[in-house]
Amino acid sequence: MRLYDVMRLMIRYMGLGIKIFALLAIICIAGYACVYKKILKGKKRLNWKVMVWCLLFICYISVVIGATLLGRGGTVTDGKVQPLFYSYKDAWINFSKAAWRNIILNYCMFMPLGVMLPLGIKWFQKFWKTYLAGFGGSLLIEIFQLVCDKGMFECDDILGNTIGTMIGYGLFAGILAIINMQQMKRKIYPLLLQLPLLITVAMFSLIFIQYDLLELGINPNNYVVVYNSDLIHVAGDDFSNEADGLPVYKISVFTIDETQKNGEKILEKLGSGIDELNLDIYDNTLVMNSEDGRYSLWMEYYGGTYSLTDFETLYPDTGTLPEPKEGGN
C-alpha cells in the first residue's frame, strides 16, 4: 500500500469518526441541556477539554478500525497464523520497500494510542496499563481479522502495534517531563521510557545499513519459514552432485526522473506526450499516460523494461485496427 493510499484511507475514516462524534455530541448536549439542566436541575458544566479529547480519540479509533477491519475485503485464510518475525524475514529476503513500509506503519498506527490514553484517562498514566491496552487492542484486531476472514493472524502486527504504543507513551512522558521539569524528582524515569523508540530506530538503522553494504543483496530464493525436509521425498536418476558456476549480471537501475524521460521519448515517437498530472509512482514501476488518453505506459526502474497499452487498438471505434506507428514497440 502506497503512502498516498494510507493517507486517503485515513481521511476517509476520519470523516466517519467526525460524523460519529457529531451524533454523540448532539445526544450529549441535548441530554445535558434538557435532562440534566432542566429536569434534574443540575449545575455541573460540561468539560470542553474532555469533549475535544473524545473527538480526537473517536476519530483515531475510526481510522484504526476502518484501516484494519472495514477497509478489507473477505479473504480465505484457512485459520492461518503467521509466526513471530515472519514479516521481518520476508521483508529482509525480498527487501521490498512496501513490506518494510507496512511494518513501520504498524508501529506508527498505535503511537497515537500511547499518547492519547494517558492524556485523557488518568488510569492509563501507569505505563504498564497503556502497554497492556495496546497489546490487547492489537490482539482483538488480529482475532477479528482471522475469525471474519479479513486477513491473517500476524504475530508481527501485535508486536509492532505494542511497540508503537510504548513509543507513544514515551513521547507523552517526555512532553510531560518537559512541562513539569522543575517539579520532577525522578528525572531518569522519562528517559527510560524512551528506550522503545531508541531501540526501534537503532534496529531499523542497522538493518538498512547492513543491507546497503551487501553488494548483490539477499538471495530471494531463501526460505522465510523453515520446512521439515524429512517430509519431502525426491526421486530420479538424472541428478548430479557437481556444482556448476552461474553467471552474475548487473542491470541498469533508473531513477524516477530518468524513467519519466525515457517514457517521454517513447510517447513522442507515437505522436503524443506525457500527462504529468496523471502519473502513478510505485516502488518498482512508473505508470505514465499520454496527453490524449490513448496510451498507458508502464516502465520498470530495474532494466528499463516497459509495457505499452494502446486503448484505440483494444477498443477501436470503427472495428478495424489503426495503422502501426513507426518507431513504437
Side-chain angles (χ1 to χ4, degrees):
M1 183 179 287
R2 292 174 296 166
L3 188 58
Y4 169 77
D5 296 326
V6 174
M7 295 300 297
R8 185 172 59 182
L9 197 65
M10 288 179 60
I11 294 173
R12 173 184 173 186
Y13 290 107
M14 188 174 291
L16 175 63
I18 293 174
K19 292 177 182 178
I20 294 174
F21 173 81
L23 178 61
L24 293 176
I26 292 173
I27 295 173
C28 291
I29 292 174
Y32 171 80
C34 299
V35 179
Y36 179 75
K37 294 284 288 185
K38 291 187 177 181
I39 298 177
L40 300 179
K41 306 297 182 181
K43 297 182 179 180
K44 189 175 181 179
R45 294 184 178 182
L46 286 175
N47 190 326
W48 293 107
K49 292 182 179 180
V50 174
M51 292 287 288
V52 171
W53 181 88
C54 289
L55 168 63
L56 296 175
F57 191 73
I58 290 172
C59 291
Y60 167 70
I61 294 298
S62 300
V63 171
V64 172
I65 293 176
T68 57
L69 302 177
L70 302 181
R72 299 187 177 189
T75 58
V76 179
T77 60
D78 297 325
K80 192 170 185 180
V81 178
Q82 295 289 17
L84 193 62
F85 301 124
Y86 175 89
S87 60
Y88 293 85
K89 294 177 183 178
D90 178 64
W92 170 257
I93 291 173
N94 296 293
F95 213 82
S96 166
K97 293 181 180 178
W100 284 117
R101 183 168 59 230
N102 290 337
I103 290 173
I104 294 173
L105 283 175
N106 276 325
Y107 286 71
C108 297
M109 185 169 61
F110 268 53
M111 284 173 57
L113 184 70
V115 175
M116 297 186 70
L117 282 181
L119 185 63
I121 304 175
K122 190 174 182 180
W123 191 81
F124 285 105
Q125 290 185 359
K126 296 287 186 180
F127 74 92
W128 64 269
K129 294 179 179 179
T130 301
Y131 291 1
L132 188 60
F135 173 81
S138 181
L139 180 62
L140 288 175
I141 290 174
E142 294 302 314
I143 292 174
F144 188 90
Q145 287 179 348
L146 183 65
V147 172
C148 298
D149 284 339
K150 294 292 185 179
M152 293 178 292
F153 186 102
E154 298 186 65
C155 296
D156 289 341
D157 286 357
I158 299 176
L159 174 65
N161 295 157
T162 304
I163 295 177
T165 306
M166 297 167 68
I167 293 173
Y169 184 88
L171 295 176
F172 161 78
I175 295 172
L176 192 64
I178 294 174
I179 296 174
N180 302 323
M181 186 173 294
Q182 295 180 349
Q183 301 176 4
M184 288 195 61
K185 296 180 180 179
R186 295 184 300 169
K187 295 183 179 181
I188 191 64
Y189 177 69
L191 296 178
L192 292 176
L193 292 173
Q194 309 310 314
L195 286 178
L197 174 61
L198 298 176
I199 293 173
T200 300
V201 172
M203 180 188 71
F204 280 105
S205 299
L206 289 174
I207 289 173
F208 297 140
I209 291 172
Q210 178 64 24
Y211 191 86
D212 190 59
L213 294 176
L214 299 175
E215 182 179 0
L216 300 177
I218 301 295
N219 181 7
N221 296 317
N222 288 341
Y223 290 111
V224 178
V225 178
V226 178
Y227 296 93
N228 186 358
S229 59
D230 295 335
L231 302 177
I232 302 174
H233 177 70
V234 180
D237 299 327
D238 299 328
F239 296 103
S240 173
N241 292 326
E242 296 181 2
D244 296 328
L246 296 175
V248 176
Y249 299 96
K250 185 176 181 179
I251 63 173
S252 300
V253 180
F254 298 95
T255 64
I256 295 176
D257 291 337
E258 291 171 342
T259 304
Q260 183 175 340
K261 289 180 181 178
N262 292 335
E264 289 175 352
K265 293 178 182 178
I266 294 173
L267 292 177
E268 285 176 1
K269 291 182 178 180
L270 297 174
S272 185
I274 287 182
D275 181 4
E276 296 188 359
L277 298 178
N278 193 13
L279 294 175
D280 286 319
I281 302 174
Y282 295 94
D283 291 331
N284 301 314
T285 311
L286 178 63
V287 180
M288 295 163 278
N289 297 280
S290 61
E291 293 175 334
D292 55 9
R294 175 174 177 175
Y295 301 105
S296 176
L297 181 62
W298 294 57
M299 296 199 70
E300 304 289 334
Y301 307 136
Y302 299 95
T305 58
Y306 64 89
S307 173
L308 177 69
T309 301
D310 184 348
F311 294 110
E312 289 189 12
T313 301
L314 291 177
Y315 310 105
D317 296 331
T318 61
T320 59
L321 296 176
E323 294 293 329
K325 297 283 187 178
E326 182 178 355
N329 293 325

